[in-house]
Structures are given as C-alpha cells and as structure tokens.
Amino acid sequence: MSESGSYYIPNGSKWPIIASIAVCTAMVGGSTLLNGNNFGKYVLFIGLALIVFMIVGWFNTVISESENGVYDTQVDTSFRWGMIWFIFSEVMFFAAFFGALYYVRAYSLPWLGGEGAGLATNTFLWPEYEANWPSTANGPGEIGGDFQVMGAWGLPAINTAILLTSGVTLTWAHHALKEMKRMQLIIGLGLTVALGILFMYFQGLEYGHAFNDLNLNLGSGIYGSTFFMLTGFHGFHVTIGTIMLIVILGRCIYGHFNPKNHFAFEAVAWYWHFVDVVWLGLFIFVYWI
Amino acid sequence: MFLIKNLMFFITSALLINTANAGWLDLNMPEGVTDISQEVFDLHMLILWICVVIGVIVFGAMFWSIFMHRKSRGVTPAQFHESTSLEFLWTVVPFVILIGMAIPATKTLIKMYDHSDSEIHIKITGYQWLWQYEYLNTNVSFYSKLSTPYNEIYNKQEKNINYLQEVDNQLIVPVNKKIRFLLTSNDVLHAWWVPDLALKKDAIPGYINEMSVVINEPGIYRGRCAELCGRHHGFMPIVIKAVDEDEYEEWITASEAKISGVAKVNK
Amino acid sequence: MSSVVNDTHHEEHPSGIMRWITTTNHKDIGTLYLWFAMIMFFIGGLMALVIRSELFQPGLQFVDPQFFNSMTTMHALVMIFGVVMPAFTGLANWMIPIMIGGPDMALPRMNNWSFWILPFAFSMLLSTLWMDGGAPAGGWTLYPPLSLQTGDAFPFLIFAIHFMGLSSIMGAINVVATILNMRAPGMTLMKMPLFVWTWLITAFLLIAVMPVLAGGVTMLLTDKFFGTSFFNAAGGGDPVMFQHIFWFFGHPEVYILILPSFGVVSAIIPTFARKPLFGYSSMVYATASIAFLSFIVWAHHMFTVGMPLAGEVFFMFATMLIAVPTGVKVFNWVTTMWKGAMTFETPMLFAIGFIIMFTIGGFSGLMLAITPADFQYHDTYFVVAHFHYVLVPGSIFAIMAACYFWLPKWTGNMYPETLGKIHFWLSTFFVNLTFFPMHFVGLAGMPRRIPDYSLQFADYNMIASIGAFGFGFAQLIFLYLIIKTIKGGKKATDQVWEGAEGLEWTLSSPPPYHSFNTPPAIK
Ligand code: HEA
Ligand code: HEA
Ligand code: CUA
Ligand SMILES: [Cu+2]
C-alpha cells in the first residue's frame, strides 16, 4: 500500500517494441535455421544482436532514472515484487524438468523394465531390457550407445563447494554494502564473479569429459536428455547471473547504490541464491542419488 | 423445410427425454453388451439425473427470484449478505452427494481393472491408419482397415448405411469368454474404442496397455480410433464380430490352417 | 522529485501510432489488449466456421483432412491464448488500478511489453498456415509423437508458445505487483472487489504454470531437433509424460480462463440486484480452493492412457471435489439475486446467461470426472460440448458482460440498449443451438477432431453448424455496437448504473488519463 500522497509513472518507452522485434527476429531466424535453411543463421544473429542492444539500452534508462532519484519507495517495492515472482516462475520452469526426471525414474523406466504396470510392456516389446538407473537409462533401444555416468564426487562436488562459497561471498558483500564498506563490497562481489566464472569453466570441463571420455551427450537416451537439459539450463542461468553480477560490480565500482537504496544489488543476489539452490537440487538428484 | 424439420426433431427429442423414444435412445450412451458397459451406462444416467435435479433446484430458485424480485414489481432490495449456516449447508450437501457418486464409480472402475482369468489374448497394434490384430498363442494375425470407397467419401457415390464404419477384415471373438486385449502402437498415439463394449484405451508406442471384456451377446459392434493420429484419424474404424464359441473355434482353426498353408507355399 | 505528481513529467505525449506503441498507460494498454482479443476472436471464429462447414454434412466437401486438423488446432490456440487470456488481461489493465485506487499498473513499461509481444507471437503462429507441411495439426494439446510430425511450422509453433508464455507471465507478475503494492491506503485485501481477488489468484496460477508449459514444449523441441528422448520409449522416455506435463499446465489453465469471469459476474450481479454480494469472504476462499485443487486434478484428461488404478481413483476424487467450491459460488450468486430488486440491462443478461450455462458446462464436467463413464465420453463431442459450454457462454459471455458493464465508463457513452439485448438473445439462442446437440452426438459415439463422420450423426451436426453461423453473425452486432458507442451516444453519468458501487464509479466517465493521482479515501 502506498503511504505517500502521490505516485510515479514512467514515460512512454520505445524499448518494449524494440524488444519484441528483437526477440521475434531471433525466433524466426532460429526456426528457419532449425528447418535446415542456413540463411536463418544471419537472421538469428541480427536478432541476438538486437536483443543485446535492447537490454543494454533498457537497463541504461532504468539505471540512470534510478541514480537520478526518480523512483520512490513504492516503485522500489514494485520492482521487488516483480523480481520475486519472476524467480518463482523460474522455479516452476525448472520444476518441469525435475518433474520429468522424477517421472522417468519412478515410472517409465521401471515400466519398460517390467515392474508394476509394465509387465506386458516388457514381455512383448522389450524382453531383453533390464531397467537400471543410471547405467541402462538410455532405454531399451540403447539410444546413443553405451555410455558412462557422470560421478558426483569429482568436478560436481567441487562445483557445489564453489557455488556455496559464492553465496557466502555475495552475502558478505551485501553486508559490506549496508555498512558502507566499499572495499569489502568490491572484493566480495569480485570474488563472487570469479567463483561464478570458475564454476562455468569447470562445467565446461565436465561437459568435455562427458563428450570425449564417457560418450555421454544429449542423445544418450533419457539419462543424457535429463542430465544435459537440467545442467544445461542451470549453466545458462549461471551465465546470466554472472553477467548480472559483473554489471553490479561495475556499478559498485562506479559508486552506485547506498545502504538504503540498492534494489538492483538485491535482485541479483536473490537470483544468484536461486541459481545456487537449483544447483543443490541438481547435485542431489542428478549426480548423487 | 429441411432446416425446420431438423429443428423440430431436435426440439421434440429434447423434450421427450425420458420416454422410450427411439430417436433419443440413439443419441444417448449405448447400454452395450457387457455387464460392465451396463454398469457404466447406469452410472452415466445416475450422475445425469443428479445433475438435472440440482439444476432444477438451482435454476428454479434463480428464475423464481428473476420473476418475483424484479424492480419493476416495486420491491425494495433486502440487504442481507451473509449466513454462515447456509454457506455451511451448501458446502456439506454437495460433498455428501459427491461421495454418493464416487462409491459406485470406484466399484465399477475396480472391476474394469481386473484382467485376471482371461482366456483369449489379442494384441492390437495401431498404425497410421489401420489396426493390426494378433491372436496370441496362435499364428493368426491380420490387418484391418477402412473399406469405404473413396467415391463415397468424396460424395461421388451414395453413402451406404455403414459409411466410415466398415473394414476389410473384422475382428472375430467369441461371446461369454473373457478376452484380454494388449494394446500398443507403431507410430503415434491411437485409441481403440468400441462403445458397445465400454472399452477405450490409448495405444502408446513403446508401451502396452491392457483391457479385458466379456461379451454377452453375439453381434457386430462398431467403433473407431479415438485419439488424434494425423490426417486419416477419422478414417480408422473398428469392427468386431462376436460369435458363438463353436463358431469361433472353427474360424480360428480354419485361419490357422490357412496361414500355415500360405507359409508352406512361400517356403 | 519522487513526490511530484508525474503528470508534469509527461510533456512528451506522443500522438498517432507512436502513442499506442510506446504507451505506459494502463488504460491505453487495456484498450490495446481488448482490441487484439476482438480481432483474434474473429480469426479464431472464422476457423471454427471452417470446421463447422466441413462438418455440416457427412463426406469431405471443402478442405483436406490435414487442413481440417490444422483448423482445429489453430482455432483452439487462437481462442485460448489470443482471445480469452488477452481479453481478461485487458480488463485487468483497465479495471484493477482503478478498483484499488491506484494510479496505474505497478510496472508500466513491462506492461507495454507484455502487450506488444502478442502481435508478434501471433504473427509467427498464424504465418505457419502458409508453410511447407501446413500449420500445426496435432491438436492444441500438442501430444507427441504426432506433434513431432509437424513440418516447417514446428519450431515457429514452439517459439510462438514461448513468446506468448513470456507475455502472460509478465502480465501476471504485473497484476500481482499492482495488487500487492498499489492499493490506496485503507484498501485492505478483504475490501478488494472480487474481480481483483479472482485476478490475483489467476495471476498466481499463470506464474505457476506457464513456465511448465514452456518447459514441456522445450522438451518437444529438443526431441525433434537435438536427439533427446523425453517422449520416446526406445530411449527410456514416455509419450505419456508429455501429457502429464501439458495437463499440469492445462488444467490450471482452464481455471485461468474462468476465474476472472467469476470476478466479473460477482461485480455485475450485485449491481443489478441492488443488493450486496452474498458471502464475499466465502467467495474468496472458494476461489482459492479452486486454484489449489486445480493443481492436483490434471490427469482427469488422461483417464484412458492406462494409469495405475490408484492414480485413476485419486484424480477422480480430486476432480469431483472442485464441484464443491464452484457450487458455493453459484449458490452465492443466486442468493445475491434472491430478494434483490433486479433490472435486466444487457450486462445482467449476460451475467445470468453465464451462471446458467456455465453451470450446465460444470455439470458435464462433473460427469467427465467419473472415470468409468469418462472412458465412454473421452475424446468425443461430449467433451467438446462440455468445454464450449464453460468457455463460450462461460468465459466469452463474461467478457462480453464486462464490456457492456464498463463500456459506458470507458467511453463516456451509453451503448444502445436494445441492440445489446438483441445481441444477447441471438447469442444465447445460437450458442445453445451450436453446442447442445454436441452432447448427443458425443454420447452416440462421434469422436472429436474428425473431418468426416458416419451417417447417424448427420442431423445434429447440421444443426450445430447452423448454430455456429448464427452465433458468428450475432457477434457482428457486438462489433458494430462497440464501434458505435466509441464514436458517440447518450452521455453516461459517472455512476452509470443505479446500483453500482466501487471506486471505478466515483471517477468521471470516461475517467481521467491517470486514474487516481492522489489516493482516494477508502471507507
Ligand atoms: C473454462 C474452462 C473450463 C472449466 C471451468 C472446466 C471445469 C471443469 N471441468 Fe473441464 N475442460 C475444459 C475446460 C474447462 N473445464 C477444456 C478446455 C477441456 C478439454 C481439453 C481438451 O482435451 O482439449 C476440459 C475437459 C475436461 C475433462 C476431460 C474430459 C476428457 O477429455 O475425457 C474433465 C474430466 O474430468 C473435466 C472436468 C471438469 C470439472 C469437474 C470441472 C469443474 O470445475 C466444474 C464445476 C462446476 C459445477 C459442478 C457446476 C456448479 C456446481 C453446483 C451447482 C454445485 C452442486 C453440484 C454438484 C454436487 C454436482 N473437464
Ligand atoms: C475460448 C475458447 C474457445 C472458443 C471461444 C471457441 C468457439 C467456438 N468453437 Fe471451439 N474449441 C476450443 C476452444 C474454443 N472454441 C478448443 C480448446 C477446442 C479443442 C481443439 C482441439 O481439439 O485441439 C475447440 C474445438 C472446436 C471444435 C471441434 C473441432 C474438432 O474436434 O475437430 C468445434 C466444432 O464445432 C468448435 C467450434 C466452435 C465454434 C462454432 C465456436 C464459436 O463460438 C465461434 C464464434 C465466433 C465466430 C463465428 C466468429 C465471429 C464472426 C465472423 C468471423 C464474421 C463472419 C461470420 C458470419 C457472417 C457467419 N471448436
Ligand atoms: Cu488412429 Cu486416430
Ligand atoms: Cu481439466
């Protein structure tokens, strides 16, 4: 509820329409490319470039408005609600993939292997198949051929430690911001960014290992599908989160934010923690058990 | 004229709901020829009537109010807007009614899921756009597809009475024996549905679904594919002929002999 | 700066087309949404008329079966994502800030983007009609493996759905933020009009399930192009898994399409009964219960896929339970009318029509919930009858009721009452003529999604087709009436309706560009 006697409403903006055109261009380009027409590549590229242009422009507008003190506390609260519900929508997006993982492990693979309701399925269609998660989880058709499973206690465990640590450094930076300790703030944020990049580097190594040594890829049946979709989308979110952290770091160095007014910082921090929590889910359900 | 005739037909059959009107019976769920299909029909009618009664009460109250409590009659509006006991009542009463429906429904459902003691096993495979029937433990197996001529479909020829419900090879089964169907598909989803047997289940590529039935009366029963499966989804009928046990035995022996004969020749 | 009333901030008031493209005003955006929905309604309706023309008689007359399937698929996608959802979002944009005494939506620029995605997303979707392999033809439910047989249209379809989903999610976030943050002082949650409440809950549903749909169609995309096996048994997946994901979205989605209607009707009935809404708080709780239950009933669309018995029983019971809170609503409306002093202007007629015909659709829904009986109903015209009853004289009637109810407020002009009534009676007659016979052909055994049928279904299909054309014709009256009212007419008073209560009626008709520059006092 608003407590003051007036409201802030922004001016009209050209960014939304640019955003629509940009995303639409990228999608049309991507679709054309997927349909096997190489020309789509260029359209896709133009679309992506436009998207970057739009994001930079839109955020610049908002940042300069924010720094000029245009926003009141009500706007700040609106932004907060917006970010919270956006993160909730992201949680549900991941829920779809976790749901798929759960479903194949609890139902479809056992059925294919003849358990429960699957007796007839196994006897008549896949008599050779024995379902075992994860070793035979590329299905009765052995789609993608023999593969090896990604163990939990190598790189993934290190990555878990990295992400958990990055949560700590980020919180440390947040406290520093609230206490106006600029040096600590910048070091904390810088460490978080570094850890994010390290995570991505290790994730890259892990993928390389999977492709080259384990014969594990998106096409390795349902195991490969769920593994790469979940870790891939997570990695994508880490990338976005890291970029956002870098922007925030830049703004901190530039002297933006004060102990009272630093919504952007908090939004990015929430996002980062969300990415962190998703990773824990991944570590437990995808790698470990 | 045509339009008016149809409209009249529509209105009269809607009015004559519970009289034994032939037009109506054709337009209700078939009672079918198995014990279970009869139960399903009874369930259907039970719920329908419960809904009709609730509807009459609710709409009755509403129309009463529409006619009596209108401004043009010079009434002054009451101002009440709450009554905990009323609201409690109309939460609990529907709940109780629902339980009354759920119990018989669950009982029927449990029976439908009992496939034990089946004597005949037939594997059905859906294809775009025909069915394959395999009589397990015999070598009888054949395809069954629409036999309506294209000229009828494209309106170049008078449509016969079984338009779109006729196939080249009918599925032959005996009456009074429990038959278990194993259902799968070779490409996309299909669904095997014969209303008179109250059987409908999806055919899923890579998985097998089961259903079972005991048919009480000999006869020809017609059904169709009930899951969108592409361009010819509407042209994928099912015709099943239930015959006496003896006749069935004869047929299956003859078919087996014929097929092994063919197999020998081919060798 | 922050305490300045920002009308002064608005020197640059672009005019012409740029005003509409760059606007951050909730009323402008609401208007855009509503017009968009109107245009899409005619496009989706035209597709329905193609369907009904082909089904007028047995035999193949006008279109190829594949194109027929495309029409079914596109009709549903257009009607659901292009008509009902945008129309409700338009109403939300127009009314929610006013109803809660706020100045505008919480996030006006994002609001603009939510709208301006739609024309692009639907251009992408509709352009597939001209592509190699034709438009998507696997049903709006997109079940694999069939949907994976789509031609060039496939990636366009998937991305268009992603895009629309983005629009709905942002729209919903905006609604939630607005309601939680922009209320005038004193406007407590339990004082909010029910339209606001139902939209709050709808928005929650949207944010919860649209991303799940996005995830589901992404898996379709990777299955088709990147070798994954989510829906392929040979690779350990399961085509049925898609159905679970789809309906986890799809069932809450149907309540997304109806809850705001409940809000509209809860605003209209008390106004014309001149009597306060009966059972306000139980209405709120009932809406919340419906929303909660909507998450645990999805598999009632999948009774025939061969789930284990326990699953069938669970989903049957959970589904039946929804009748209880929905019943509470229906009873509350009837009791609101009871002992009122009613008049029957067009919005009231549509609202009453809504209650009756929605309840009929609800009853058939309940019948569908009875698993053993659903084995007979499933994928027949009985289902088609069910959902058109809840969607057309349900959602669409509620949207029309809302338009009549608020049109004088929006435009400052009264609409021609007689014409409105004619529109209502024609619509009601023809909608029943179209969809009631579908119950019968469905029970008699006519499957849905077929371009041709056997002879015993002929009579009633002909009636349904006649009804559809009549209903479509009646909507031309609606279009004409709206344009006429915008252009002029008898001036509307601020209160418009004698029994009207709520903040929207305290503003002038039409309301000022910024609804409440200073928060109104709430009693
Ligand atoms: C606005 C949209 C909307 C709404 C509100 C509903 C409401 C309901 N629907 Fe419907 N439904 C659809 C849209 C909707 N549906 C669509 C689009 C499909 C098909 C999708 C597709 O396959 O393409 C579908 C399909 C569908 C099916 C699957 C059918 C099948 O494919 O086999 C089922 C099965 O259970 C079902 C059930 C219900 C129930 C129980 C309700 C309940 O919410 C209804 C509750 C209301 C009442 C019951 C009436 C009022 C109550 C009283 C007066 C109280 C007293 C009553 C009693 C105790 C009986 N619906
Ligand atoms: C909100 C949703 C919504 C709405 C409003 C409608 C509205 C209508 N629907 Fe639709 N329908 C669905 C949602 C909706 N439908 C869904 C989800 C499906 C399932 C799809 C699937 O199976 O995948 C479906 C499927 C469906 C089918 C089954 C198709 C099949 O199974 O093959 C049919 C058949 O009659 C049908 C008919 C109609 C008709 C006649 C209308 C009418 O109400 C339309 C009225 C509007 C107009 C007619 C347009 C207005 C006027 C003009 C264009 C002017 C010119 C006209 C004249 C001069 C006459 N619909
Ligand atoms: Cu096979 Cu539909
Ligand atoms: Cu549902």
Side-chain angles (χ1 to χ4, degrees), chain C residues 329 416 477:
Chain C
K329 292 190 154 278
I477 303 179

Side-chain angles (χ1 to χ4, degrees), chain B residues 118-137:
Chain B
S118 304
E119 294 176 69
I120 292 177
H121 306 264
I122 299 175
K123 180 160 166 254
I124 307 176
T125 310
Y127 293 80
Q128 281 173 322
W129 291 273
L130 46 85
W131 297 101
Q132 183 188 16
Y133 299 110
E134 292 166 78
Y135 291 70
L136 300 181
N137 310 321

Side-chain angles (χ1 to χ4, degrees), chain A residues 23-104:
Chain A
V23 177
C24 190
T25 311
M27 284 178 165
V28 170
S31 301
T32 319
L33 185 62
L34 285 175
N35 283 335
N37 186 338
N38 242 337
F39 175 69
K41 231 175 8 205
Y42 306 105
V43 184
L44 174 63
F45 181 76
I46 295 173
L48 292 176
L50 276 173
I51 291 177
V52 173
F53 168 71
M54 174 277 292
I55 291 179
V56 171
W58 196 333
F59 275 93
N60 257 333
T61 318
V62 174
I63 290 170
S64 71
E65 281 174 359
S66 167
E67 286 306 306
N68 290 326
V70 176
Y71 299 156
D72 54 20
T73 48
Q74 188 168 33
V75 175
D76 193 67
T77 313
S78 290
F79 283 167
R80 278 159 202 277
W81 280 125
M83 192 66 197
I84 289 170
W85 289 100
F86 167 67
I87 290 178
F88 175 60
S89 80
E90 290 267 50
V91 170
M92 294 309 291
F93 182 72
F94 276 98
F97 296 101
F98 276 109
L101 178 65
Y102 170 77
Y103 185 88
V104 293

